[in-house]
Amino acid sequence: MRGEIQHGVESALTRFLDLAGTAQPALRDEDWLVYELLGRAEVHQGRPMDALFAAYRSAARTTLRSMSRVAMEVGAEASVLIVLAESVFAYIEELSAASAQGYAVEQSERAGEQDRLLDRVAEMLIRGHAEEDAVRASVLAAGWTLPERLVVVILPTDRRTGLKSRLGARALLTSRPGDVIAVVPEPSSPTARQELGRALAGRNAVVGPGRPWQSAPDSLRLAVLARDLLQTDPDDEGPLWVTEHLTQLLLLSDRTMVEDLAALRLAPLEQLRPAQQERLGATLLSWLKHHGHRAAMATELAVHEQTVGYRVNQLREVFGEALNDPQTRFELELVLRARPHQTPS
């Protein structure tokens, strides 16, 4: 930067001498631009403004010392030296202000460009159509680190505030109408999973399954599918993890097929009153889940073990030998898990 510094020093001294005895502004537009560019250059060099401001102060002291010596040699009064000192430091403040503005503008432009590049990477990943070389080149330009595996998170737009700071620099954010999409490295440990859960707490987020970065669209697709099909508890603070609901998601993804199977396997319940159907349906699902263990069933259903035994006998009367067939039991559990179900007592 030797040339820029030399030009800045010459411009500063020349302009300062031209101001003597005038009411002109400290810096003209072309002068302001010189020091604004010096501020921008500090950003390019990766330095804070401290070094440039220190150089300005040093320059002010050097200039004032030299001019004061000449003034004293010609017999100038002390009042003249005071005015001279005030003028030098006021002028340096103007130079500093110009450089500070250049520094701030450059930082802002760089931040905006950085955000644009990161958004482009996020779009390339979740769209999945770009060549690997193009993705890696964009990642490099954005200064991001491409993880081997990632998860895609989807949440409502109104829950975006503060999300970037909570997820950290390794997360990419982009938008869809009504949604925010975050691309995040897949948690590699239970601790990392807990940290991601805390970052997404209270945001109605859905976390897609982990995938190699090349399959990010698949993680997004399953997150959207889970958001649309699964009933979520509005009081649940944590995110919905798709990997914890894969069976239910598989069943709900083709409702017609599940309904056909339910009509076939649950037909014996049709002879009962609706309340009985609901009660025995809940008992049957509990029986299938707990392999007939009455204590576990009683706890889940919130009834006495004798009541469990009575209901199981009813089930055997209704379904007969079908409950002894493994394939039938498997299909019954599938359809019972797939349908909205309350557990009556």
Side-chain angles (χ1 to χ4, degrees), residues 20-31:
T22 73
Q24 297 179 23
L27 297 175
R28 298 164 300 188
D29 290 345
E30 58 268 31
D31 301 313

Side-chain angles (χ1 to χ4, degrees), residues 146-173:
L146 183 64
E148 289 298 321
R149 294 178 61 85
L150 50 78
V151 297
V152 178
V153 182
I154 186 169
L155 61 153
T157 299
D158 61 1
R159 302 302 177 93
R160 179 168 185 158
T161 304
L163 180 63
K164 181 64 176 177
S165 61
R166 295 292 299 275
L167 291 177
R170 295 210 65 193
L172 301 179
L173 297 184

